[in-house]
Amino acid sequence: MNFDAYARTGVELVNARLDDLDGLRALFPDENAWMRDEVAERDLAIFRRAQKRLRDVFEYGTSGRDGEAVAELNTLLEAFPVQPRISGHDSSDWHMHVTSRGASVSAEYLAGAVWGLSVWLCEYGSARFGVCADERCGNVYLDTSSNCCRRFCSERCATRSHVAAHRARKRAAVGEQPVPAQPLSPVS
């Protein structure tokens, strides 16, 4: 099983716009087209609640509140239990699913996302759960940097934030310069 891929589905869920059923359907990539086709209005509320709780996990991790991140993930693991099963059509297609046959779209997706994030936390620690430092963004990410120094969800946010900080420093420097002295008027 590719636990990183499952963890990334958790990130994608937290960052998704779940305004309506079409927003939820946009969450599913082509390899999960069956989920996109089967998701129903009742799933939207389940996904929104899980989205909020997973955001809490990222905020706990970012602020060093490991115990709270673990407690929330354990609660989510109980709500969306992993029940692995082998699936596929022939010997060249066998793969693992995380829920039993006939599980709802929300059960299948959320069990994988929660399981992936739980394995990620155990493997790398909750400090690797990040919330973008650009206050205009708020997206979450998994810090895969070699020295746990990532602060932004994307290069775009990093650049935008650094440019804004540079401009603010420039404005402050201009404002701090003394006003040039007025030339003395000639005495006549």
Side-chain angles (χ1 to χ4, degrees):
M1 290 181 87
N2 185 346
F3 295 112
D4 286 353
Y6 279 116
R8 283 191 300 275
T9 63
V11 170
E12 291 163 4
L13 171 59
V14 174
N15 294 336
R17 294 197 50 117
L18 299 180
D19 298 328
D20 55 23
L21 196 54
D22 288 335
L24 178 56
R25 286 186 177 121
L27 182 63
F28 306 113
D30 288 339
E31 61 266 17
N32 289 332
W34 70 271
M35 289 183 170
R36 190 173 43 234
D37 295 341
E38 290 184 23
V39 74
E41 193 71 39
R42 70 182 177 280
D43 292 307
L44 188 56
I46 296 168
F47 273 89
R48 284 178 179 157
R49 282 192 302 275
Q51 180 185 50
K52 190 241 178 277
R53 294 179 75 183
L54 288 174
R55 174 168 292 284
D56 290 345
V57 169
F58 278 86
E59 290 176 3
Y60 296 148
T62 300
S63 62
R65 294 161 37 202
D66 293 1
E68 291 173 77
V70 168
E72 188 63 40
L73 282 171
N74 278 333
T75 301
L76 287 164
L77 284 168
E78 289 176 21
F80 303 103
V82 174
Q83 300 170 329
R85 68 179 169 91
I86 299 171
S87 185
H89 303 292
D90 59 44
S91 61
S92 65
D93 186 32
W94 299 129
H95 59 278
M96 296 297 293
H97 278 252
V98 294
T99 58
S100 60
R101 180 179 302 276
S104 67
V105 171
S106 56
E108 177 93 18
Y109 188 95
L110 296 171
V114 171
W115 178 251
L117 290 172
S118 298
V119 170
W120 182 274
L121 183 138
C122 291
E123 185 75 20
Y124 304 108
S126 71
R128 295 287 184 156
F129 287 30
V131 177
C132 188
D134 184 347
E135 63 274 349
R136 294 169 287 182
C137 177
N139 280 345
V140 302
Y141 60 89
L142 296 169
D143 186 350
T144 57
S145 66
S146 60
N147 57 357
C148 196
C149 65
R150 187 170 169 188
R151 294 184 28 231
F152 299 95
C153 69
S154 66
E155 286 296 320
R156 180 176 182 245
C157 281
T159 300
R160 183 175 56 201
S161 184
H162 291 130
V163 167
H166 171 74
R167 289 179 179 160
R169 285 190 304 273
K170 210 170 173 181
R171 280 191 305 272
V174 168
E176 292 173 3
Q177 290 180 354
V179 177
Q182 297 293 331
L184 295 174
S185 53
V187 179
S188 352

